[in-house]
Amino acid sequence: MPPEKSAYALARYSRSADSIRQSVDWVRTHNSQQFLESFYFQYGHQSIADLGHTVLCFEGVSELAASEIEDEVLWDGQARSSRYQDFSKAGFITPPEMTGDEVTRYQAAGAALLQAYKEIHGLMDTWLKGQLPCPEEMKPEAYKRNIAARAFDVARYLLFWGIPTNVGQVTSIRTLEKQIRRLRVSEFAEVRELGLEVAEACAATPECLWSEGEAEPLAPTLARHADPDEYLQKSNADLALWAQQNLKIAAGEERRVDLVRPNDVLSEIAATLLYPVCDASFRQIYDTLRQWSAARRSEVLDVALRSRGRRDDMLRGFRGGQYCYDMLIDIGAYRDMHRHRRCHQFRQAYTGQHGYDVPNGLMEAGAEPAYRAAMDAALAAMRTLPNPARQYLLPFGAKSRFLFKMDFAEAEYISRVRSGVKGHFSYREIAWEMKLRMDEVEPELGRLIDATPPWVEDPLKR
Ligand SMILES: Cc1cc2nc3c(=O)[nH]c(=O)nc-3n(C[C@H](O)[C@H](O)[C@H](O)COP(=O)(O)OP(=O)(O)OC[C@H]3O[C@@H](n4cnc5c(N)ncnc54)[C@H](O)[C@@H]3O)c2cc1C
């Protein structure tokens, strides 16, 4: 199925009693673009786009562009191997922004590097054969391949970012959208063009089909919405300017590998935000920021958030710290919170010994006695049954203990997304408390969480 259609079928599946076969049939006769327009783009149910995946290949792109393409955390793919392929054969890419004499100088330098690559590979190949003769039990073909690979490992030092490569990737359409938006604001013209080409490819009929059949565009709705990521672009410019005006760092020791264990999350996040826009080491930036007042450190965070739009996630730099939220919550809320993957979760055994929650409204509805009687009876019955099978009887209103460990950006995300008026009141309260706990522990970070209090309600909103 084209990914946007599979996303529609699976999203619909979660909200209808139909089987998957019926859902697929439904999608055949309904407009998936219209569905995505409203649910994904207007209502912001971003996880719908996790339910459709695309396979995309980039051919003849520079190594530099490939590395920009691959700069995604939720990404699967592979690029040409510098160990098994001879990179001297395909020439190199001249950046489209170069003109006149620059091109001549660039091309001469590039050709010289490739010539040296070939030469070094030959010399290493010969030398290695002398050092490591072919063992009797090894097939000559395998020996040749291994020696050539070792020689390429050395010759690789002479390859450069302009060398062309191929990349094949598999991503969800959610990641793809973020990727296109990011590529479109790259400082490199080649990368910006690739961003546009990916969007065009999503809107066009695919050319290489596995089998004969009806071909249709893979992700036309996404293609319409994958605008340049202005937040990324503006925040980088804002941070660079701020660093230029405010950050003076004395040169320090340069270590090949340094291990910093920050004990102050505000400084850690501020230092991470500034790291890509200056050239000092992380330790130097962090140590400098540690000397500053909390207000000045917070200013960095404000600069990084100044241009954030409604649909933008916090910048990667906010992924700092590790917060351990210990939650004694009802199973129903856990079922929802459990879906968050960007954290590490641990649970205690389902014993039923922590009692149960009584949702608001039961008393007013005159339903509390019946509710309590049913819950008490179920928990009592549970105690008489053998473990582990008795856990099947644990009602969703019963409480259990769960540990969620996450960085600040995920705490912000869960608290913001799950406290919204569209959610269930149970996890809305938990998400709100996540913000309150952050306010207590890290007031400077807590203030950045735009969570909706549980008393703001709109029961008819979905
Ligand atoms: C109003 C509402 C209704 C819902 N209805 C249903 C329903 O009917 N059925 C159902 O099953 N679910 C439902 N969900 C849950 C939803 O489908 C998601 O499972 C849930 O929101 C968690 O996914 P997430 O992408 O929002 O967040 P997270 O998993 O917390 O991820 C946060 C962000 O990080 C990214 N990310 C996640 N893991 C990684 C990683 N390892 N590396 C890098 N990035 C990562 C994500 O793509 C996302 O952008 C609902 C959610 C909401 C808010």
Side-chain angles (χ1 to χ4, degrees):
M1 287 176 84
E4 284 193 357
K5 301 215 160 177
S6 96
Y8 183 16
L10 290 172
R12 183 179 178 276
Y13 193 47
S14 72
R15 286 166 186 239
S16 109
D18 283 354
S19 70
I20 190 61
R21 283 168 198 274
Q22 288 164 323
S23 275
V24 170
D25 284 341
W26 172 280
V27 172
R28 279 187 206 286
T29 52
H30 289 77
N31 187 330
S32 46
Q33 296 193 35
Q34 220 167 44
F35 168 80
L36 281 167
E37 285 287 354
S38 7
F39 283 86
Y40 181 56
F41 291 103
Q42 282 171 31
Y43 302 155
H45 288 312
Q46 292 194 52
S47 53
I48 289 174
D50 289 330
L51 304 175
H53 279 65
T54 53
V55 179
L56 265 159
C57 293
F58 301 82
E59 297 192 342
V61 299
S62 68
E63 282 278 352
L64 183 70
S67 124
E68 295 290 309
I69 287 165
E70 290 165 24
D71 192 21
E72 287 292 334
V73 194
L74 271 189
W75 184 90
D76 298 298
Q78 294 212 350
R80 269 179 80 190
S81 166
S82 63
R83 170 168 273 190
Y84 299 108
Q85 294 203 40
D86 183 348
F87 277 66
S88 69
K89 294 181 174 157
F92 53 85
I93 284 161
T94 303
E97 47 272 83
M98 268 186 198
T99 51
D101 180 44
E102 294 161 0
V103 175
T104 323
R105 277 182 284 133
Y106 171 85
Q107 291 187 342
L113 274 172
L114 273 191
Q115 184 55 37
Y117 167 85
K118 244 162 101 170
E119 213 174 288
I120 297 291
H121 183 262
L123 290 170
M124 285 307 299
D125 197 81
T126 312
W127 183 75
L128 284 166
K129 280 179 184 145
Q131 295 290 308
L132 304 163
C134 182
E136 270 175 30
E137 66 280 8
M138 197 174 217
K139 287 194 178 134
E141 277 314 304
Y143 172 73
K144 250 173 92 176
R145 259 199 322 272
N146 277 323
I147 292 288
R150 286 187 165 269
F152 278 134
D153 281 351
V154 176
R156 180 179 86 172
Y157 283 72
L158 291 148
L159 295 178
F160 53 103
W161 278 129
I163 292 291
T165 189
N166 298 341
V167 181
Q169 70 169 39
V170 183
T171 64
S172 71
I173 42 182
R174 181 176 183 177
T175 298
L176 188 65
E177 187 203 350
K178 279 201 203 120
Q179 186 188 41
I180 299 174
R181 300 185 64 220
R182 180 174 57 79
L183 298 181
R184 290 191 60 185
V185 296
S186 167
E187 62 179 307
F188 304 106
E190 180 196 9
V191 177
R192 291 195 298 276
E193 280 165 26
L194 283 169
L196 272 176
E197 269 191 62
V198 177
E200 281 164 16
C202 288
T205 313
E207 282 166 23
C208 31
L209 294 176
W210 178 251
S211 57
E212 292 294 317
E214 199 188 331
E216 48 183 302
L218 297 184
T221 326
L222 165 128
R224 270 202 304 281
H225 287 272
D227 301 326
D229 189 340
E230 283 182 9
Y231 172 44
L232 186 62
Q233 191 174 38
K234 284 193 185 143
S235 55
N236 263 329
D238 289 346
L239 283 164
L241 183 66
W242 196 91
Q244 207 185 345
Q245 292 170 344
N246 295 282
L247 195 62
K248 305 277 173 284
I249 292 180
E253 186 194 357
E254 294 217 324
R255 302 177 75 180
R256 184 149 139 158
V257 176
D258 195 4
L259 177 61
V260 183
R261 202 175 69 163
N263 50 16
D264 172 59
V265 185
L266 182 56
S267 303
E268 178 199 338
I269 291 179
T272 311
L273 289 166
L274 292 171
Y275 183 84
V277 294
C278 57
D279 56 10
S281 72
F282 183 76
R283 182 181 293 280
Q284 289 166 335
I285 309 172
Y286 176 74
D287 285 346
T288 308
L289 266 55
R290 286 284 288 144
Q291 316 296 322
W292 292 359
S293 67
R296 193 148 180 233
R297 276 175 283 177
S298 298
E299 208 179 305
V300 181
L301 276 47
D302 292 332
V303 170
L305 291 171
R306 197 185 287 156
S307 51
R308 184 183 182 200
R310 197 177 57 86
R311 283 195 71 221
D312 297 318
D313 283 336
M314 282 186 157
L315 292 178
R316 252 183 228 186
F318 284 92
R319 302 216 158 268
Q322 161 127 281
Y323 295 98
C324 304
Y325 280 106
D326 186 6
M327 304 188 186
L328 182 57
I329 57 177
D330 67 90
I331 305 291
Y334 168 64
R335 283 279 287 138
D336 294 310
M337 300 296 277
H338 190 206
R339 303 236 160 81
H340 291 280
R341 300 146 293 163
R342 206 160 188 174
C343 50
H344 297 284
Q345 302 183 17
F346 306 86
R347 74 165 174 88
Q348 293 182 348
Y350 298 130
T351 58
Q353 69 180 19
H354 292 294
Y356 52 84
D357 263 340
V358 181
N360 288 339
L362 272 179
M363 199 142 65
E364 292 86 330
E368 191 179 339
Y371 173 79
R372 284 191 183 275
M375 290 300 252
D376 291 336
L379 291 175
M382 206 183 142
R383 281 190 284 273
T384 67
L385 293 167
N387 214 10
R390 69 174 175 215
Q391 296 179 36
Y392 280 70
L393 204 51
L394 190 68
F396 277 12
K399 291 191 283 187
S400 199
R401 236 188 236 296
F402 306 95
L403 183 65
F404 286 73
K405 294 165 89 170
M406 65 190 79
D407 59 35
F408 170 68
E410 185 65 1
E412 186 271 349
Y413 178 80
I414 297 181
S415 180
R416 175 169 50 86
V417 171
R418 290 292 182 178
S419 64
V421 290
K422 287 180 270 187
H424 188 287
F425 48 80
S426 164
Y427 64 67
R428 282 195 63 196
E429 283 170 14
I430 292 156
W432 174 246
E433 283 194 42
M434 285 175 69
K435 178 208 162 41
L436 297 183
R437 296 295 93 78
M438 188 64 80
D439 280 342
E440 289 160 14
V441 175
E442 307 266 15
E444 290 300 341
L445 294 174
R447 78 184 166 90
L448 304 178
I449 300 182
D450 186 16
T452 313
W455 54 87
V456 177
E457 283 188 83
D458 189 353
L460 298 182
K461 195 159 185 170
R462 54 178 177 173

